[in-house]
Amino acid sequence: SLQQHLKNVQQQAMFCVIHGGIDVELRTKSVNYLTSLPFDGYGIGGSLGNGRQELKDLLEWMMPLLDEGEHRYNKPRHLLGIADEESIRNAVTKGIDTLDSAYPTRLGRHGTLLTRDGHIRMKSGKHKHSFGQKICEGCNCKTCQQYDRAYMWHLFKASEPLGIQLAALHNIHYMNDLMADLRKDIME
């Protein structure tokens, strides 16, 4: 509980989670109540709408509520469970500081790799003879530096667990690069 946390913080932060679906009144009540308590940051969770546009609309009207007053403005904001690239870019421009999601590893488990040119589906037969073709030009992750598309195709075709691991490593690296680029853009 918040009371127990405040008794012995131990260099940890406790966030509240703002709920209310896409209902303006419920979200506003949740924001107003939870920001009146001494939480260290704000999580935005629950139903975030049916698709990217509803999430974008929700953040458009809700994020300014978290800018009201110094006690709200200076605290980090975390968006729960969202990690597709378009939603991340939108969320960061609206003031979201951190995100969490299984998106990059889930895609990797199903043979999809994230790249600046879009998704690559490694299970597609077109990669069967792609010997020597880099997975993602310009990527310096170990997967891209050591393996080609044909080998990745083979791993997924043979249901080798290594394919899932390499794809997940690549996708996490890609997402870390994306976030580094967004941080750089913010600083400029």
Side-chain angles (χ1 to χ4, degrees):
S1 78
L2 180 58
Q3 289 176 343
Q4 286 302 113
H5 169 71
L6 293 173
K7 288 178 186 176
N8 189 8
V9 175
Q10 297 182 4
Q11 298 181 348
Q12 294 185 23
M14 181 176 259
F15 284 44
C16 60
V17 179
I18 298 165
H19 284 274
I22 58 171
D23 184 286
V24 175
E25 184 179 346
L26 289 175
R27 280 271 175 190
T28 302
K29 284 180 181 180
S30 185
V31 166
N32 290 335
Y33 175 70
L34 292 171
T35 58
S36 72
L37 302 173
F39 285 102
D40 301 306
Y42 309 120
I44 300 163
S47 174
L48 299 170
N50 292 320
R52 291 184 185 116
Q53 188 58 48
E54 283 190 356
L55 172 60
K56 187 176 182 178
D57 294 343
L58 173 101
L59 293 175
E60 188 76 38
W61 63 260
M62 194 191 76
M63 292 306 290
L65 297 175
L66 295 176
D67 288 337
E68 295 174 359
E70 180 128 352
H71 71 285
R72 292 182 185 181
Y73 180 75
N74 290 325
K75 293 185 179 180
R77 300 100 186 267
H78 179 85
L79 186 60
L80 286 87
I82 301 295
D84 67 275
E85 199 166 336
E86 182 182 335
S87 295
I88 287 174
R89 289 183 187 282
N90 177 59
V92 169
T93 62
K94 302 289 186 281
I96 294 294
D97 299 304
T98 58
L99 307 105
D100 71 281
S101 177
Y103 179 76
T105 54
R106 182 176 50 246
L107 284 180
R109 281 193 310 273
H110 295 287
T112 300
L113 300 179
L114 300 168
T115 74
R116 294 187 187 277
D117 298 322
H119 293 181
I120 298 175
R121 288 168 178 70
M122 294 312 307
K123 293 181 179 182
S124 170
K126 69 181 181 180
H127 301 298
K128 182 177 183 177
H129 299 293
S130 299
F131 300 105
Q133 184 178 0
K134 286 197 170 263
I135 295 165
C136 179
E137 283 298 327
C139 180
N140 63 2
C141 78
K142 293 204 184 275
T143 301
C144 290
Q145 295 302 307
Q146 295 178 0
Y147 305 101
D148 62 17
R149 290 185 184 196
Y151 184 66
M152 290 296 289
W153 175 85
H154 158 73
L155 292 174
F156 279 102
K157 190 68 174 171
S159 299
E160 289 286 344
L162 179 60
I164 294 169
Q165 293 171 338
L166 293 174
L169 286 172
H170 166 79
N171 285 350
I172 291 169
H173 185 91
Y174 175 83
M175 295 303 288
N176 283 335
D177 284 351
L178 170 67
M179 296 309 293
D181 289 347
L182 291 172
R183 282 190 297 277
K184 182 180 162 196
D185 290 347
I186 290 168
M187 298 307 286
E188 289 177 352

